[in-house]
């Protein structure tokens, strides 16, 4: 392997191939309207490629191919061990092409390329392999009936799955949905975010190479208001799974009610609290975790620890530690291997973040560091790591999902007050708790209404544990064996034996 320095990535970027068509029934194809849209590189604000802007007819075509492949049994009727072998091969192909895939992620959405390589692509391959291994290890059940009867409880692939994935972790979050859906035997249509289609399009090509039959894995590119809506309203899609904003998630619930009552699984917004108690002895470790929890991936993380709740006796000391860490962040071109924070994905998103920064100041929060838009190498899409002190939890900066590198510091005096503040948002995706008191750790974790509670760490994640939210952070769980529940139907077969 060549030395993966900045020059290497720059050279590789000059020869990268962008797939710019939809992928339906095993082949790349233009949209039926021949329309396209532009994908912008946030590090330069220049056009990377023009990509097929699909419409409802393209969605119909993809669904028809997915339905045909499912009903034919070309994938669904394979034995679990056969599906396992193909999925494991695809996981290996992700590893074999990891530099290309990482570069596609970075060029599309601006994350530092070494993060894309080591975290996104490495994680995607590992999670897909985990689901491949799980495919032949899930047993059906026999119910305890009386003599003369046999009742089996089996899990069956549900059919055609639509997976709509966001731009912040394009390949990784696609794999979260593809892994269990494919392992269970379904046929899938993926709609990548319009800002970041290229790694998923390359994945579709690799899937054919791995042995996934044509029609089982399709990709429709285009705008959410057109393609996403068409998928949501489609009468022949059995399951729709979505990661994105809460507002769009609510639309998919409406689309389901207006069409065929398809199952809808949502992983939506978050406003995750990070509680630091005075009995946490290693405040430097807590500050390192808090900085990672809000500044990683430019803060464009659904479970970002965007609210820092600090006990009053240590608040001033801890805020100083956070300011120091914010100033240590290296903003720069994402192909520079020293960069730790790249640009925001688009001008629209950067403008949204900056407007929330301005509103926080108007509402009385104290800006202690950052808060500015910065131009680097001709791109104006960089936002400084930003920290607000003296935030009241009723302020918009504490209630609204910012989806950027903006931290709100909120002071508390008692454990009960900390728990009340932590739960006082519409969201419940994740939370972190820092304490050396084991009883407090259990007590607080039990009382916080969130899907994942990380104690003395941030954003703990594994394919072995479920991920998802309470309240308006979503419905259902990604990751772990539990994710299979979203993509299977449970069937009871009762056999009465003759006397």
């Amino acid at each position: 392997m060549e030395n993966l320095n900045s020059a290497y990535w720059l050279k590789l970027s000059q020869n990268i191939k962008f797939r710019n068509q939809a992928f339906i029934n095993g082949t790349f194809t233009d949209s039926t309207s021949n329309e396209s849209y532009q994908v912008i590189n946030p590090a330069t604000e220049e056009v990377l490629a023009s990509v097929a802007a699909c419409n409802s007819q393209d969605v119909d075509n993809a669904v028809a191919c997915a339905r045909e492949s499912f009903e034919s049994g070309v994938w669904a009727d394979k034995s679990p061990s056969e599906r396992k072998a193909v999925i494991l091969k695809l996981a290996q192909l992700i590893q074999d092409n990891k530099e290309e895939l990482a570069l596609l992620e970075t060029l599309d959405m601006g994350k530092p390329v070494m993060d894309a390589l080591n975290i996104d692509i490495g994680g995607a391959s590992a999670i897909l392999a985990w689901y491949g291994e799980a495919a032949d290890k899930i047993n059906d059940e026999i119910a305890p009936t009386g003599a003369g009867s046999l009742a089996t409880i089996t899990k069956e692939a549900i059919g055609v799955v639509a997976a709509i994935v966001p731009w912040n972790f394009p390949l990784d979050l696609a794999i979260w949905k593809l892994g269990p859906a494919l392992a269970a035997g379904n046929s899938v249509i993926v709609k990548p975010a319009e800002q970041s289609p290229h790694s998923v399009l390359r994945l579709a090509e690799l899937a054919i190479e791995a042995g996934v039959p044509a029609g089982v894995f399709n990709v429709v590119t285009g705008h959410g208001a057109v393609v996403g809506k068409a998928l949501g309203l489609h009468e022949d899609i059995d399951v729709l799974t979505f990661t994105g904003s809460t507002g769009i998630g609510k639309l998919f619930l409406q689309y389901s009610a207006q069409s065929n009552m398809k199952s809808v699984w949502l992983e939506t917004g978050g406003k995750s609290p990070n509680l630091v108690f005075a009995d946490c002895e290693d405040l430097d470790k807590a500050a390192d975790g808090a900085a990672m929890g809000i500044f990683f991936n430019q803060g464009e993380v659904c479970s970002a620890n965007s609210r820092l709740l600090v006990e009053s006796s240590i608040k001033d000391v801890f805020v100083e530690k956070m300011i120091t860490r914010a100033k240590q962040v290296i903003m720069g071109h994402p192909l520079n291997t020293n960069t730790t924070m790249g640009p925001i994905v688009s001008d629209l998103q950067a403008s949204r973040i900056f407007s929330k920064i301005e509103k926080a100041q108007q509402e009385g929060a104290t800006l202690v560091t950052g808060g500015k838009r910065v131009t680097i190498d001709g791109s104006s899409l960089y936002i400084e790591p930003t920290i607000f002190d003296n935030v009241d939890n009723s302020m918009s900066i504490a209630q609204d999902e910012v989806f950027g590198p903006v931290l709100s510091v909120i002071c508390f005096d008692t454990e009960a007050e900390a728990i009340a503040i932590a739960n006082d948002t519409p969201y419940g995706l994740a939370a972190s708790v820092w304490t050396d008191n084991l009883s407090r750790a259990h007590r607080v974790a039990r009382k916080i209404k969130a899907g994942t509670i990380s104690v003395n760490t941030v954003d703990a994640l594994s394919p072995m544990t479920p991920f998802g939210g309470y309240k308006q952070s979503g419905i259902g769980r990604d990751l772990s064996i539990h994710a299979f529940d979203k993509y299977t139907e449970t069937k009871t077969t009762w056999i009465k034996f003759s006397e």
Side-chain angles (χ1 to χ4, degrees):
M1 181 184 295
E2 294 187 52
N3 182 25
L4 299 183
N5 55 26
S6 303
Y8 173 83
W9 290 110
L10 181 61
K11 180 180 178 182
L12 191 63
S13 71
Q14 293 169 348
N15 297 296
I16 195 76
K17 177 183 178 182
F18 295 106
R19 284 82 181 162
N20 60 2
Q21 299 167 293
F23 191 85
I24 298 174
N25 203 31
T27 60
F28 286 107
T29 179
D30 291 326
S31 65
T32 54
S33 66
N34 288 317
E35 293 182 357
S36 62
Y37 70 97
Q38 294 180 334
V39 175
I40 305 298
N41 180 352
T44 63
E45 297 190 69
E46 296 175 349
V47 176
L48 279 176
S50 293
V51 176
C54 294
N55 55 34
S56 59
Q57 181 60 58
D58 300 306
V59 169
D60 287 344
N61 294 342
V63 173
C65 292
R67 176 61 63 189
E68 182 180 358
S69 72
F70 180 74
E71 298 300 338
S72 72
V74 66
W75 180 249
D77 289 349
K78 286 185 179 293
S79 69
S81 60
E82 289 176 311
R83 292 199 296 271
K84 167 185 170 179
V86 173
I87 292 171
L88 290 178
K89 184 175 180 180
L90 179 55
Q92 185 57 52
L93 286 171
I94 292 174
Q95 275 296 113
D96 295 344
N97 294 272
K98 61 184 179 181
E99 293 171 22
E100 177 191 7
L101 291 166
L103 186 57
L104 290 171
E105 299 273 90
T106 292
L107 293 175
D108 272 357
M109 64 77 55
K111 68 175 67 204
V113 70
M114 296 309 293
D115 284 351
L117 180 70
N118 296 318
I119 298 173
D120 294 47
I121 308 307
S125 176
I127 289 170
L128 185 61
W130 192 91
Y131 278 109
E133 290 288 357
D136 62 356
K137 297 174 179 65
I138 300 175
N139 296 323
D140 293 324
E141 303 172 49
I142 297 177
T145 59
S149 295
L150 174 67
T152 63
I153 303 168
T154 56
K155 294 282 191 178
E156 297 181 356
I158 198 167
V160 176
V161 175
I164 300 174
V165 297
W167 45 259
N168 57 335
F169 295 94
L171 186 69
D172 205 20
L173 293 182
I175 291 296
W176 285 23
K177 302 176 189 309
L178 282 167
L182 290 176
N186 297 284
S187 293
V188 184
I189 302 153
V190 177
K191 191 272 177 201
E194 49 263 43
Q195 299 90 339
S196 55
H198 291 113
S199 59
V200 175
L201 287 169
R202 178 63 175 131
L203 179 68
E205 198 172 35
L206 294 175
I208 295 296
E209 184 179 341
V212 176
V216 171
F217 176 20
N218 307 276
V219 182
V220 283
T221 53
H223 297 286
V226 177
V227 177
K229 183 176 182 179
L231 291 167
L233 289 169
H234 207 285
E235 298 282 352
D236 201 28
I237 289 174
D238 301 296
V239 174
L240 186 142
T241 176
F242 167 77
T243 296
S245 72
T246 298
I248 300 301
K250 290 179 179 180
L251 287 178
F252 285 118
L253 293 174
Q254 295 178 30
Y255 297 153
S256 173
Q258 294 166 13
S259 54
N260 62 339
M261 287 182 62
K262 61 178 67 64
S263 298
V264 175
W265 303 104
L266 305 172
E267 193 263 278
T268 50
K271 197 67 185 173
S272 299
N274 187 0
L275 286 64
V276 182
F277 289 91
D279 59 16
C280 171
E281 293 187 5
D282 193 345
L283 292 183
D284 285 318
K285 180 180 178 182
D288 288 340
M292 173 64 71
I294 186 58
F295 300 137
F296 169 67
N297 208 54
Q298 299 76 247
E300 297 166 325
V301 182
C302 53
S303 55
N305 286 203
S306 56
R307 291 185 298 149
L308 177 61
L309 281 56
V310 188
E311 194 164 350
S312 57
S313 62
I314 61 168
K315 195 265 285 186
D316 290 343
V317 170
F318 200 80
V319 169
E320 284 302 316
K321 292 180 182 293
M322 293 303 301
I323 292 172
T324 297
R325 283 154 178 79
K327 291 181 177 179
Q328 290 171 345
V329 170
I330 302 172
M331 291 194 302
H333 196 290
L335 296 185
N336 185 331
T337 53
N338 293 320
T339 293
T340 58
M341 180 183 288
I344 302 301
V345 68
S346 67
D347 182 65
L348 176 62
Q349 181 63 18
S351 297
R352 286 172 174 168
I353 295 168
F354 194 67
S355 69
K356 293 179 187 298
I357 291 172
E358 291 180 321
K359 187 173 183 181
Q361 293 174 284
Q362 294 166 6
E363 291 183 346
T366 303
L367 179 66
V368 295
T369 191
K372 298 177 182 176
R373 286 186 70 159
V374 178
T375 298
I376 297 176
D377 294 334
S379 171
S380 63
L381 302 187
Y382 293 83
I383 291 183
E384 293 178 328
T386 300
I387 300 175
F388 282 102
D389 197 1
N390 302 315
V391 174
D392 185 277
N393 203 55
S394 63
M395 293 179 180
S396 59
I397 197 68
Q399 290 291 315
D400 298 340
E401 185 175 41
V402 178
F403 224 67
V406 181
L407 181 66
S408 299
V409 180
I410 304 170
C411 188
F412 68 85
D413 292 311
T414 67
E415 180 181 303
E417 183 185 7
I419 293 167
I421 294 171
N423 289 332
D424 184 24
T425 74
Y427 304 109
L429 188 55
S432 293
V433 179
W434 296 85
T435 176
D436 288 335
N437 184 318
L438 183 60
S439 295
R440 168 170 279 163
H442 279 283
R443 193 167 57 239
V444 173
R446 187 175 67 251
K447 292 182 179 180
I448 292 178
K449 296 179 174 64
T452 299
I453 312 296
S454 302
V455 178
N456 295 334
T457 186
V458 293
D459 228 2
L461 193 71
S462 165
M464 296 173 285
T465 55
F467 181 87
Y470 287 28
K471 299 187 285 185
Q472 293 188 44
S473 286
I475 302 168
R477 295 293 183 268
D478 286 316
L479 301 179
S480 82
I481 290 293
H482 296 280
F484 279 100
D485 294 339
K486 300 195 297 187
Y487 307 112
T488 55
E489 292 281 19
T490 302
K491 176 179 285 185
T492 296
T493 302
W494 192 297
I495 301 170
K496 182 71 174 178
F497 299 118
S498 58
E499 297 295 335

